[in-house]
Amino acid sequence: DDIRVRKAANMGIDRVAGVNVLDEGDGDLGGLMPPTGQWAFPKDELLTRPGYRPDKAAELAEAKKLLAEAGFPDGFRTPLLVRSSSENQNLGVFVQAQLETVGIKATISIEEVAAFTNSMERRAFATATWAHAASLDDPDQIFGEHYISGGGRNYQSISNPKVDELFVKQSRTLDVAERKK
Protein backbone atom coordinates (compact mmCIF):
# COMPACT_ATOMS: atom_id res chain seq x y z
CA ASP A 1 0.00 0.00 0.00
CA ASP A 2 3.04 2.29 0.05
CA ILE A 3 2.80 4.73 -2.85
CA ARG A 4 6.61 4.63 -3.21
CA VAL A 5 6.48 0.89 -3.86
CA ARG A 6 3.67 1.28 -6.38
CA LYS A 7 5.55 4.07 -8.14
CA ALA A 8 8.77 2.02 -8.18
CA ALA A 9 6.96 -0.96 -9.71
CA ASN A 10 5.37 1.34 -12.29
CA MET A 11 8.75 2.83 -13.19
CA GLY A 12 10.32 -0.61 -13.51
CA ILE A 13 8.15 -1.55 -16.46
CA ASP A 14 9.58 -0.57 -19.84
CA ARG A 15 6.45 0.08 -21.87
CA VAL A 16 8.31 0.49 -25.17
CA ALA A 17 9.80 -2.97 -24.61
CA GLY A 18 6.30 -4.18 -23.80
CA VAL A 19 4.97 -3.02 -27.17
CA ASN A 20 7.96 -4.61 -28.91
CA VAL A 21 7.85 -7.92 -27.01
CA LEU A 22 4.15 -8.47 -26.36
CA ASP A 23 2.74 -6.88 -29.52
CA GLU A 24 5.75 -7.64 -31.75
CA GLY A 25 6.18 -3.90 -32.28
CA ASP A 26 2.66 -3.55 -33.67
CA GLY A 27 1.18 -1.22 -31.10
CA ASP A 28 1.19 2.28 -29.75
CA LEU A 29 2.50 3.57 -26.45
CA GLY A 30 -0.39 4.91 -24.45
CA GLY A 31 -1.69 5.81 -21.03
CA LEU A 32 -4.99 4.84 -19.46
CA MET A 33 -7.05 5.67 -22.55
CA PRO A 34 -6.61 4.11 -26.02
CA PRO A 35 -3.51 5.75 -27.52
CA THR A 36 -5.06 6.58 -30.88
CA GLY A 37 -8.40 7.97 -29.68
CA GLN A 38 -9.53 11.51 -29.00
CA TRP A 39 -9.00 11.03 -25.25
CA ALA A 40 -5.40 9.83 -25.54
CA PHE A 41 -2.88 11.59 -23.35
CA PRO A 42 -0.63 13.64 -25.69
CA LYS A 43 2.50 11.56 -26.34
CA ASP A 44 4.90 14.44 -25.60
CA GLU A 45 3.28 14.81 -22.16
CA LEU A 46 3.06 11.05 -21.62
CA LEU A 47 6.83 10.77 -22.08
CA THR A 48 7.38 13.11 -19.10
CA ARG A 49 5.46 10.84 -16.69
CA PRO A 50 7.02 8.23 -14.40
CA GLY A 51 6.97 4.86 -16.09
CA TYR A 52 6.95 6.40 -19.55
CA ARG A 53 10.09 8.53 -19.55
CA PRO A 54 12.58 7.44 -22.22
CA ASP A 55 15.64 7.42 -19.89
CA LYS A 56 14.97 3.99 -18.38
CA ALA A 57 18.31 3.93 -16.55
CA ALA A 58 17.31 7.06 -14.61
CA GLU A 59 13.85 5.61 -13.98
CA LEU A 60 15.31 2.35 -12.63
CA ALA A 61 17.71 4.25 -10.34
CA GLU A 62 14.83 6.37 -9.03
CA ALA A 63 12.66 3.27 -8.56
CA LYS A 64 15.37 1.53 -6.51
CA LYS A 65 15.76 4.67 -4.40
CA LEU A 66 12.01 4.74 -3.75
CA LEU A 67 12.05 1.07 -2.70
CA ALA A 68 14.94 1.76 -0.31
CA GLU A 69 13.05 4.72 1.18
CA ALA A 70 10.03 2.44 1.64
CA GLY A 71 12.16 -0.03 3.62
CA PHE A 72 13.11 -2.41 0.81
CA PRO A 73 16.74 -1.58 -0.06
CA ASP A 74 17.25 -5.11 -1.42
CA GLY A 75 13.82 -5.37 -3.02
CA PHE A 76 11.27 -7.95 -1.93
CA ARG A 77 9.38 -11.04 -3.05
CA THR A 78 5.73 -11.07 -4.10
CA PRO A 79 3.32 -13.51 -5.68
CA LEU A 80 2.11 -12.38 -9.12
CA LEU A 81 -1.38 -13.53 -10.05
CA VAL A 82 -1.78 -14.20 -13.79
CA ARG A 83 -4.81 -15.32 -15.80
CA SER A 84 -4.41 -18.61 -17.69
CA SER A 85 -4.37 -17.64 -21.34
CA SER A 86 -1.25 -17.58 -23.48
CA GLU A 87 -1.60 -13.80 -23.96
CA ASN A 88 -1.91 -13.17 -20.22
CA GLN A 89 0.83 -15.65 -19.35
CA ASN A 90 3.16 -13.83 -21.76
CA LEU A 91 2.22 -10.57 -20.02
CA GLY A 92 2.92 -12.17 -16.64
CA VAL A 93 6.38 -13.37 -17.68
CA PHE A 94 7.17 -9.94 -19.14
CA VAL A 95 6.04 -8.09 -16.00
CA GLN A 96 7.94 -10.56 -13.80
CA ALA A 97 11.18 -9.81 -15.71
CA GLN A 98 10.54 -6.06 -15.65
CA LEU A 99 9.88 -5.95 -11.89
CA GLU A 100 13.12 -7.86 -11.33
CA THR A 101 15.02 -4.86 -12.78
CA VAL A 102 14.12 -2.86 -9.66
CA GLY A 103 14.51 -5.73 -7.20
CA ILE A 104 10.92 -6.96 -7.01
CA LYS A 105 11.08 -10.73 -7.33
CA ALA A 106 7.70 -11.99 -8.46
CA THR A 107 6.64 -15.62 -8.42
CA ILE A 108 3.94 -16.29 -10.99
CA SER A 109 0.74 -17.99 -9.89
CA ILE A 110 -1.51 -18.91 -12.83
CA GLU A 111 -5.27 -19.26 -12.33
CA GLU A 112 -7.91 -20.18 -14.87
CA VAL A 113 -10.30 -17.39 -15.79
CA ALA A 114 -13.09 -18.04 -13.27
CA ALA A 115 -10.69 -18.49 -10.34
CA PHE A 116 -8.63 -15.48 -11.45
CA THR A 117 -11.73 -13.29 -11.68
CA ASN A 118 -12.87 -14.50 -8.26
CA SER A 119 -9.46 -13.72 -6.75
CA MET A 120 -9.50 -10.24 -8.30
CA GLU A 121 -13.03 -9.49 -7.09
CA ARG A 122 -12.20 -10.67 -3.55
CA ARG A 123 -8.93 -8.66 -3.64
CA ALA A 124 -7.19 -11.97 -2.83
CA PHE A 125 -3.89 -11.07 -4.46
CA ALA A 126 -0.76 -9.11 -3.61
CA THR A 127 0.26 -8.32 -7.19
CA ALA A 128 -1.54 -9.14 -10.43
CA THR A 129 -1.34 -8.50 -14.13
CA TRP A 130 -4.43 -7.09 -15.77
CA ALA A 131 -4.98 -6.22 -19.39
CA HIS A 132 -8.22 -4.76 -20.62
CA ALA A 133 -9.62 -3.54 -23.88
CA ALA A 134 -11.88 -0.56 -24.32
CA SER A 135 -15.07 -0.86 -26.34
CA LEU A 136 -15.58 2.92 -26.22
CA ASP A 137 -13.13 5.78 -26.54
CA ASP A 138 -14.63 7.59 -23.57
CA PRO A 139 -13.31 8.22 -20.05
CA ASP A 140 -16.65 7.22 -18.53
CA GLN A 141 -16.01 3.60 -19.46
CA ILE A 142 -12.33 3.34 -18.53
CA PHE A 143 -12.21 5.58 -15.46
CA GLY A 144 -15.70 4.69 -14.28
CA GLU A 145 -14.95 0.99 -14.39
CA HIS A 146 -11.34 0.91 -13.19
CA TYR A 147 -10.27 4.07 -11.37
CA ILE A 148 -13.05 5.59 -9.28
CA SER A 149 -14.27 4.50 -5.88
CA GLY A 150 -16.59 1.55 -6.24
CA GLY A 151 -15.78 0.98 -9.93
CA GLY A 152 -16.75 -2.54 -10.99
CA ARG A 153 -13.17 -3.47 -11.90
CA ASN A 154 -11.33 -1.18 -9.48
CA TYR A 155 -9.44 -4.22 -8.20
CA GLN A 156 -6.67 -2.09 -6.69
CA SER A 157 -9.32 -0.35 -4.54
CA ILE A 158 -8.36 3.17 -5.59
CA SER A 159 -10.40 5.67 -3.63
CA ASN A 160 -9.82 9.38 -3.99
CA PRO A 161 -12.83 11.67 -3.36
CA LYS A 162 -11.29 14.49 -5.44
CA VAL A 163 -10.83 12.15 -8.43
CA ASP A 164 -14.38 10.86 -7.96
CA GLU A 165 -15.67 14.45 -7.93
CA LEU A 166 -13.74 15.37 -11.10
CA PHE A 167 -14.95 12.19 -12.79
CA VAL A 168 -18.61 13.03 -12.11
CA LYS A 169 -18.06 16.63 -13.26
CA GLN A 170 -16.51 15.61 -16.59
CA SER A 171 -19.14 12.92 -17.10
CA ARG A 172 -21.94 15.50 -16.85
CA THR A 173 -20.23 17.94 -19.20
CA LEU A 174 -21.23 17.77 -22.88
CA ASP A 175 -18.45 19.93 -24.32
CA VAL A 176 -15.49 17.65 -25.19
CA ALA A 177 -12.88 20.39 -24.65
CA GLU A 178 -14.27 21.07 -21.17
CA ARG A 179 -14.33 17.35 -20.35
CA LYS A 180 -10.69 17.03 -21.34
CA LYS A 181 -9.71 19.78 -18.92
Side-chain angles (χ1 to χ4, degrees), residues 16-94:
V16 172
V19 169
N20 291 331
V21 171
L22 298 169
D23 295 327
E24 298 177 354
D26 188 24
D28 294 305
L29 188 63
L32 301 175
M33 296 299 296
T36 57
Q38 73 170 330
W39 298 98
F41 203 68
K43 190 166 185 177
D44 59 331
E45 290 182 46
L46 184 66
L47 295 175
T48 69
R49 305 291 189 220
Y52 292 88
R53 297 179 292 214
D55 186 350
K56 285 312 290 182
E59 288 235 309
L60 296 177
E62 185 178 340
K64 290 174 183 178
K65 181 180 175 197
L66 287 168
L67 284 176
E69 290 172 2
F72 302 102
D74 300 318
F76 61 92
R77 295 190 176 281
T78 186
L80 177 63
L81 183 62
V82 175
R83 195 168 71 188
S84 68
S85 69
S86 61
E87 180 180 277
N88 284 285
Q89 289 180 39
N90 290 342
L91 174 61
V93 169
F94 177 79

Side-chain angles (χ1 to χ4, degrees), residues 82-162:
V82 175
R83 195 168 71 188
S84 68
S85 69
S86 61
E87 180 180 277
N88 284 285
Q89 289 180 39
N90 290 342
L91 174 61
V93 169
F94 177 79
V95 169
Q96 178 188 42
Q98 294 292 298
L99 293 175
E100 180 76 29
T101 65
V102 295
I104 301 172
K105 297 154 198 77
T107 302
I108 293 176
S109 172
I110 298 171
E111 292 186 354
E112 58 85 22
V113 175
F116 176 88
T117 302
N118 186 283
S119 292
M120 295 296 282
E121 288 175 352
R122 290 183 301 113
R123 301 342 185 239
F125 62 93
T127 311
T129 57
W130 178 258
H132 64 270
S135 58
L136 296 173
D137 179 29
D138 191 280
D140 280 1
Q141 180 196 11
I142 302 295
F143 287 91
E145 191 171 349
H146 298 277
Y147 301 104
I148 64 162
S149 302
R153 292 188 176 167
N154 181 353
Y155 299 130
Q156 61 278 21
S157 300
I158 293 171
S159 181
N160 183 322
K162 181 66 175 171

